Amino acid sequence: MDCIFCRIVEKKAQAKILYEDERSIAFEDIAPQAPVHVLIIPRRHISTALEIREEDKDLIGHLFLIASKIASEKGIAERGFRLVLNCNREAGQTVFHLHLHLLGG
Ligand code: 5GP
Ligand code: ZN
């Protein structure tokens, strides 16, 4: 499996990383759709929202927590931001490694 986000997790591909811990990582989107456009992903490869399992519930909540922390750091928390998760092709998913978009500014 050749996954660009797994390669970013493994530091085999470059990305502007804003945050990382033992189970997640956040980095700037390469083609920003807003002044702030950050992707928050689990380190483990989960291809789509449909593959989220019962035991991943804490991990998924963790991604949302990181997103709001980054929104605060970026100064967009009070003004407002969007969190977007596209699932499968018709929703516009192009990278099949689960990711939360943080969009704002
Ligand atoms: P999707 O459409 O799957 O929800 O979003 C994929 C996002 O990943 C897009 O916004 C796209 O710009 C971003 N992206 C794709 N390849 C790379 C990459 O190699 N590096 C970074 N930083 N972002 C990427
Ligand atoms: Zn992956």
Side-chain angles (χ1 to χ4, degrees):
M1 175 194 52
D2 190 34
C3 170
I4 181 61
F5 287 180
C6 281
R7 290 178 58 78
I8 288 173
V9 166
E10 294 160 8
K11 309 274 164 70
K12 288 174 183 161
Q14 274 206 337
K16 193 163 175 215
I17 295 170
L18 300 177
Y19 175 88
E20 58 184 320
D21 61 30
E22 67 289 349
R23 52 190 174 156
S24 60
I25 169 166
F27 52 91
E28 307 267 12
D29 195 291
I30 204 170
Q33 303 296 307
V36 174
H37 190 172
V38 177
L39 301 173
I40 302 105
I41 73 170
R43 282 186 184 276
R44 202 183 85 235
H45 185 90
I46 299 173
S47 38
T48 76
L50 294 168
E51 272 71 55
I52 296 169
R53 303 171 305 199
E54 192 69 25
E55 56 266 39
D56 297 327
K57 288 198 299 195
D58 190 68
L59 171 63
I60 300 306
H62 184 66
L63 301 181
F64 277 82
L65 216 56
I66 293 163
S68 55
K69 279 181 185 160
I70 294 172
S72 296
E73 284 169 14
K74 292 275 190 186
I76 56 166
E78 297 308 318
R79 285 153 59 205
F81 58 88
R82 293 172 69 200
L83 295 176
V84 175
L85 197 161
N86 297 323
C87 182
N88 275 340
R89 283 180 184 80
E90 235 175 79
Q93 186 175 7
T94 57
V95 177
F96 287 79
H97 180 132
L98 190 84
H99 52 279
L100 196 57
H101 295 258
L102 164 63
L103 293 149

